[in-house]
Amino acid sequence: MFDGVSLVLGRTEVLCEVSLRAEPGKVHAVVGPNGGGKSSLIRCLLGQAPHAGSIAIDWPGEQGRIGYVPQALEFDRGLPMTVMDFLAALVADRPAFLAPRPSVKVTILAALAEVGMEDKAGRRMGALSGGERQRVMMAQGLMPAPDLLVLDEPMAALDEAGAKIFERLIGTLKARGTTILWVEHDLAVVRRLADRVTGLSRTLLFDGPPEAELTPERVLALFSHRAGGAA
Ligand SMILES: Nc1ncnc2c1ncn2[C@@H]1O[C@H](COP(=O)(O)OP(=O)(O)OP(=O)(O)O)[C@@H](O)[C@H]1O
């Protein structure tokens, strides 16, 4: 998927010749120190960064759908928009001042149910906790059902219940054949859920099955790297 991808922003070489392949239907985690270029790699995939090298997606049939869940999003606490309004604005095919079609509402409620938020559809976005907001962002990534789901630290603000829901959701999506590219800091969760893991710190550090790649020495190196600051 990524072949020799490099990215320079200002004077910083953020990515240098990064190549990796996310296999269809698998969970592929990307780990590494803060500032290692994980989010930047995703921005390249989404066409939001001026990278060199190539990024290609081989869809098995017609072009598939990409879902994207960004790193925690900040909101104006006074935003007079409910969770339903917010999600409807993202998926609706008519102006926001009209109420969402019943079918759109059903889709939104189903996505909210997948993240354990079905009872919060009428809550104002500004009144949600950080973890609840994160769950709403996860729900938007599921609408419409994605073939490739790109997750940028989706668990950062989640409590234990939220983390359990997330883990279950990953299992459900995998069973549906969704390919998942997932930036994550929690290596224990990566070990549990990922089929493959790539270590990234400007360049590729390692790439393979978590049980083989996330050795105690590697984990220690990753953490001390992080403690030492950006790559
Ligand atoms: N617009 C920009 N201009 C210059 N440098 C940038 C820009 N955006 C990001 N960077 C730099 O690129 C590097 C990689 O950032 P990126 O956000 O991709 O890292 P990350 O691995 O996702 O980090 P984290 O784990 O902290 O989320 C950092 O050193 C950052 O300062």
Side-chain angles (χ1 to χ4, degrees):
M1 193 195 259
F2 297 86
D3 189 12
V5 170
S6 297
L7 175 68
V8 176
L9 293 173
R11 292 199 182 159
T12 311
E13 189 186 38
V14 176
L15 297 169
C16 176
E17 293 282 332
V18 174
S19 299
L20 70 95
R21 185 181 158 75
E23 294 294 333
K26 303 280 184 201
V27 179
H28 193 123
V30 180
V31 302
N34 287 137
K38 305 179 294 298
S39 297
S40 300
L41 189 72
I42 285 180
R43 280 200 293 277
C44 292
L45 170 67
L46 300 175
Q48 295 173 351
H51 65 274
S54 80
I55 301 177
I57 304 178
D58 286 333
W59 301 110
E62 62 189 61
Q63 186 171 347
R65 292 187 228 262
I66 301 179
Y68 169 54
V69 179
Q71 243 174 352
L73 201 63
E74 282 307 319
F75 271 93
D76 176 354
R77 285 260 166 207
L79 191 70
M81 211 179 191
T82 65
V83 170
M84 178 61 79
D85 293 338
F86 173 75
L87 292 175
L90 293 177
V91 296
D93 55 359
R94 57 182 184 167
F97 57 83
L98 296 174
R101 291 179 201 286
S103 62
V104 170
K105 269 191 164 178
V106 169
T107 307
I108 291 172
L109 289 173
L112 285 173
E114 296 219 66
V115 297
M117 290 278 289
E118 62 275 37
D119 55 340
K120 305 258 167 66
R123 188 71 70 88
R124 272 192 312 108
M125 281 300 287
L128 297 180
S129 73
E132 288 170 336
R133 247 177 2 231
Q134 195 58 26
R135 292 199 208 185
V136 171
M137 293 315 293
M138 189 78 188
Q140 68 74 33
L142 302 176
M143 297 185 307
D147 301 289
L148 169 64
L149 182 59
V150 181
L151 304 170
D152 196 350
E153 291 191 47
M155 300 181 71
L158 297 184
D159 59 11
E160 208 174 313
K164 278 207 182 103
I165 287 173
F166 173 79
E167 289 204 24
R168 208 174 53 221
L169 188 58
I170 292 281
T172 309
L173 290 168
K174 218 178 136 177
R176 283 182 203 155
T178 312
T179 305
I180 299 174
L181 185 63
W182 168 35
V183 171
E184 181 56 57
H185 272 124
D186 187 333
L187 301 181
V189 183
V190 167
R191 211 189 279 274
R192 267 205 308 281
L193 299 183
D195 297 301
R196 202 172 173 90
V197 60
T198 296
L200 185 67
S201 182
R202 194 173 61 86
T203 57
L204 202 83
L205 300 176
F206 52 82
D207 184 52
E211 60 278 12
E213 300 297 337
L214 296 179
T215 57
E217 301 76 40
R218 280 252 172 85
V219 172
L220 191 65
L222 269 178
F223 276 104
S224 51
H225 213 128
R226 198 192 308 179

